[in-house]
């Protein structure tokens, strides 16, 4: 024990794996500079346990959404991220270029259109949990790149979708609060 009574360990041998350029944030106050928190998420994660808990809950929720929809007979599909023409939502897309084909493309702003085409093509229940990109500003509350879930079910009306949504939210609340 130290002079103040804190537990210590007696090290017989150690090896430095890497050096640190800057010291970690104060362990009592955590990382308080908002700009640093959002630009250096790794430092935010080690200095603010709450941030880590939120990220863990988000990961469990994403997994639970998949479990719920899979158990209801939905198929998770992957739709294109690069589009020749933006569509599916009213938003300004990010622009990019496909060098090999020498064509301009946009990053998707929604998964909607391709999923609807899959339903027309004969898949009765489809969903995608995917990244979408909307070039419309940025703040601590709005990220132009985010994950959305879209699902479509043939022969279902808005009442069916409302019940499905309510059941999903109840399932997620129970699953996230008691993950085991």
């Amino acid at each position: 024990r130290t002079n103040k009574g804190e537990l210590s360990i007696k090290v017989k041998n150690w090896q430095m794996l890497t050096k640190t350029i800057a010291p970690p944030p104060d362990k009592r106050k955590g990382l308080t500079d908002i700009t640093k928190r959002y630009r250096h998420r790794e430092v935010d994660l080690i200095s603010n346990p709450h941030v880590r808990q939120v990220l863990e809950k988000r990961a469990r929720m994403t997994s639970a959404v998949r479990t719920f929809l899979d158990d209801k007979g939905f198929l998770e599909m992957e739709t294109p991220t690069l589009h020749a023409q933006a569509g599916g939502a009213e938003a300004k897309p990010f622009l990019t270029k496909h060098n090999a084909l020498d064509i301009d493309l946009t990053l998707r702003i929604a998964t909607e259109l391709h999923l609807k085409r899959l339903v027309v093509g004969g898949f009765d229940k489809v969903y995608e949990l995917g990244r979408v990109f909307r070039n419309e500003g940025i703040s601590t509350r709005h990220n132009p790149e985010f994950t959305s879930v879209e699902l479509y079910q043939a022969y279902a009306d808005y009442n069916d979708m409302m019940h499905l949504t309510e059941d999903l939210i109840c399932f997620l609340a129970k699953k996230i609060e008691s993950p085991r």
Side-chain angles (χ1 to χ4, degrees):
R1 293 192 177 264
T2 65
N3 293 339
K4 294 186 178 186
E6 293 180 0
L7 286 177
S8 296
I9 56 174
K10 186 175 182 178
V11 178
K12 293 180 183 176
N13 187 353
W14 75 262
Q15 178 181 3
M16 183 182 296
L17 299 176
T18 185
K19 69 176 188 170
T20 180
I21 304 296
D26 182 88
K27 66 180 179 181
R28 286 179 180 64
K29 293 180 190 171
L31 186 59
T32 55
D33 183 338
I34 298 290
T35 303
K36 283 186 180 175
R37 285 186 64 195
Y38 286 97
R39 291 181 189 254
H40 298 283
R41 297 302 281 181
E42 69 284 359
V43 178
D44 194 21
L45 285 167
I46 62 172
S47 62
N48 293 318
H50 172 72
V51 173
R52 182 183 175 90
Q53 292 167 354
V54 168
L55 202 58
E56 286 173 355
K57 281 185 178 182
R58 184 187 187 284
R60 283 199 306 271
M61 186 166 21
T62 301
S63 178
V65 167
R66 285 189 168 103
T67 299
F68 177 85
L69 292 173
D70 291 346
D71 290 350
K72 296 283 184 188
F74 284 82
L75 289 175
E76 182 174 13
M77 304 304 239
E78 290 185 20
T79 62
T81 303
L82 297 174
H83 294 195
Q85 180 179 0
E90 288 292 322
K92 186 177 179 185
F94 284 95
L95 306 174
T96 188
K97 183 172 184 73
H98 192 298
N99 292 333
L101 298 176
D102 193 30
I103 58 172
D104 293 330
L105 297 168
T106 65
L107 294 176
R108 71 177 170 201
I109 55 176
T111 57
E112 175 185 350
L113 297 178
H114 289 283
L115 289 173
K116 286 180 176 177
R117 289 178 185 138
L118 289 166
V119 172
V120 170
F123 288 97
D124 288 345
K125 294 179 174 183
V126 295
Y127 77 96
E128 182 169 8
L129 202 85
R131 303 296 282 176
V132 293
F133 309 88
R134 297 183 179 180
N135 198 357
E136 299 178 328
I138 190 167
S139 72
T140 56
R141 293 258 179 232
H142 174 78
N143 190 344
E145 171 189 355
F146 59 94
T147 304
S148 74
V149 62
E150 287 201 38
L151 57 108
Y152 296 92
Q153 179 178 346
Y155 316 110
D157 64 13
Y158 73 95
N159 288 305
D160 298 319
M161 299 312 283
M162 284 193 312
H163 289 300
L164 183 72
T165 303
E166 289 171 358
D167 292 346
L168 173 61
I169 291 170
C170 291
F171 177 81
L172 291 174
K174 290 175 187 170
K175 197 79 167 169
I176 301 313
E177 286 310 311
S178 58
R180 309 253 182 259

